[in-house]
Amino acid sequence: MTVMAGKLRHRVELHYPVKVVNDFGEEEWGYALMARVWARVSPLSGSERLEAMELEAKVDHEVEIRYREGVTAQSRVVFGDRVFGVQAVINPDHRDRQLLLMCEEVA
């Protein structure tokens, strides 16, 4: 399955977790920019949500992007002022052409 460029009409940022030092000198987890990519961001319908929730705790959106290494279930997607935590990363047919990110909106 190839990724049709017209489907990827949303500009999103991919972030990965990093350890940062806060103002008190303590290490804590934060996020850094991995890449800005074109994506398709879609809310899941009721039946898709039920199926997805059987696999992962709370999945309410699917984000489709072109394949790229480094995207994991610890990553997050920023779409405008909305933030989505990636719950699962699916590489359809293991062909390294696209990724489906099953996400939960966190902010």
Side-chain angles (χ1 to χ4, degrees), residues 71-83:
V71 181
T72 68
Q74 288 75 44
S75 302
R76 72 178 185 181
V77 175
V78 177
F79 176 43
D81 59 353
R82 301 168 77 183
V83 179

Side-chain angles (χ1 to χ4, degrees), residues 2 8 22 26 28 30 49 52 58 61 67 72 77-78 82 93:
T2 59
L8 306 181
N22 66 19
E26 303 166 330
E28 61 185 21
R49 276 186 85 174
K58 289 195 173 197
H61 283 75
Y67 179 83
T72 68
V77 175
V78 177
R82 301 168 77 183
D93 302 324

Side-chain angles (χ1 to χ4, degrees), residues 26-45:
E26 303 166 330
E27 283 190 350
E28 61 185 21
W29 286 101
Y31 285 91
L33 178 66
M34 177 188 305
R36 287 183 184 90
V37 299
W38 291 102
R40 177 184 57 83
V41 179
S42 355
L44 297 178
S45 68

Side-chain angles (χ1 to χ4, degrees), residues 63-103:
V63 178
E64 179 180 355
I65 62 172
R66 286 188 175 85
Y67 179 83
R68 71 178 301 118
E69 291 187 17
V71 181
T72 68
Q74 288 75 44
S75 302
R76 72 178 185 181
V77 175
V78 177
F79 176 43
D81 59 353
R82 301 168 77 183
V83 179
F84 300 92
V86 177
Q87 302 297 313
V89 179
I90 301 168
N91 180 358
D93 302 324
H94 300 283
R95 297 186 64 186
D96 296 347
R97 292 185 179 205
Q98 73 184 44
L99 291 177
L100 299 177
L101 310 178
M102 306 307 288
C103 299

Side-chain angles (χ1 to χ4, degrees), residues 43-61:
L44 297 178
S45 68
S47 61
E48 289 173 326
R49 276 186 85 174
L50 286 174
E51 289 175 20
M53 288 171 70
E54 289 176 10
L55 298 174
E56 295 294 330
K58 289 195 173 197
V59 173
D60 51 22
H61 283 75

